[in-house]
Amino acid sequence: MTVTLRPATAADLMPVGALHQRSRVAAYSSFLPAEALADPTPEAMGGYWVERWTWERDDHRMTVAERGGRLVGFSYLGPDDEDDPATGLLNAIHLEPDERGRGTGRALMVDALAAMRARGWSRAVLWVLRENTRARAFYERGGWTPTGARRDEHIGATLVPQLRYERPL
């Protein structure tokens, strides 16, 4: 069964939130404490996406991946967070834990890069958790390189370092 990609709709946002939470727990549990990943709940994460979509749907794009009619991943992109008009930001790629290694992440990344090029951007950037070596290797295989920029963000009460990556489009 192959994976299919399509634009997200408002009806996808609550299931996307639940998937996002499962993905975070699976991807980050080897380096973040359980209490950092306990919140938000899947329902709260769905509410986050409903709210975010309300404000960003005009200049952001969410794509969902389905396999056999089941939601298995999503990507989210939009304008650069540092206001560079030539740059797009890949905000997220998240997968169901059992979907890792099946090509879905790659399909979402290829699709996101094509969408960024279609918007006229010449460069793509993203932020990835420094300790998320699996994701960093995934992006590096996709042609992304670290810029040297770093920021710290909270996941729960835990301060987590992030690294900025870039690639030409």
Side-chain angles (χ1 to χ4, degrees):
M1 209 176 314
T2 61
V3 69
T4 58
L5 305 181
R6 65 171 175 76
T9 67
D12 294 314
L13 300 175
M14 290 302 289
V16 159
L19 181 152
H20 188 180
Q21 179 61 4
R22 288 188 297 275
S23 174
R24 290 177 67 212
V25 169
Y28 307 160
S29 62
S30 66
F31 58 89
L32 287 178
E35 57 271 11
L37 297 171
D39 193 46
T41 64
E43 295 78 19
M45 189 67 88
Y48 162 83
W49 280 108
V50 168
E51 179 71 16
R52 188 168 180 179
W53 180 263
T54 298
W55 299 106
E56 295 181 343
R57 68 177 166 225
D58 291 339
D59 64 353
H60 284 66
R61 177 180 184 260
M62 181 182 282
T63 299
V64 296
E66 296 177 320
R67 188 180 301 277
R70 175 181 167 238
L71 177 69
V72 295
F74 74 95
S75 65
Y76 194 67
L77 64 89
D80 180 43
D81 60 345
E82 295 180 354
D83 297 321
D84 178 353
T87 300
L89 176 67
L90 180 58
N91 292 273
I93 292 179
H94 282 277
L95 304 175
E96 285 288 0
D98 65 355
E99 197 66 20
R100 291 190 282 181
R102 299 188 69 188
T104 304
R106 178 167 168 65
L108 285 165
M109 181 171 43
V110 167
D111 175 75
L113 295 172
M116 288 180 177
R117 278 190 295 276
R119 288 183 176 205
W121 294 323
S122 58
R123 176 176 169 249
V125 295
L126 61 82
W127 290 97
V128 63
L129 302 184
R130 183 185 70 199
E131 302 305 318
N132 192 350
T133 55
R134 183 179 185 132
R136 290 176 59 193
F138 167 75
Y139 291 120
E140 289 168 10
R141 284 190 306 274
W144 299 80
T145 57
T147 66
R150 178 190 153 146
R151 71 179 182 190
D152 293 324
E153 297 282 329
H154 280 93
I155 295 182
T158 304
L159 196 59
V160 182
Q162 297 181 346
L163 305 175
R164 191 168 174 96
Y165 275 65
E166 68 181 349
R167 67 157 290 163
L169 296 170

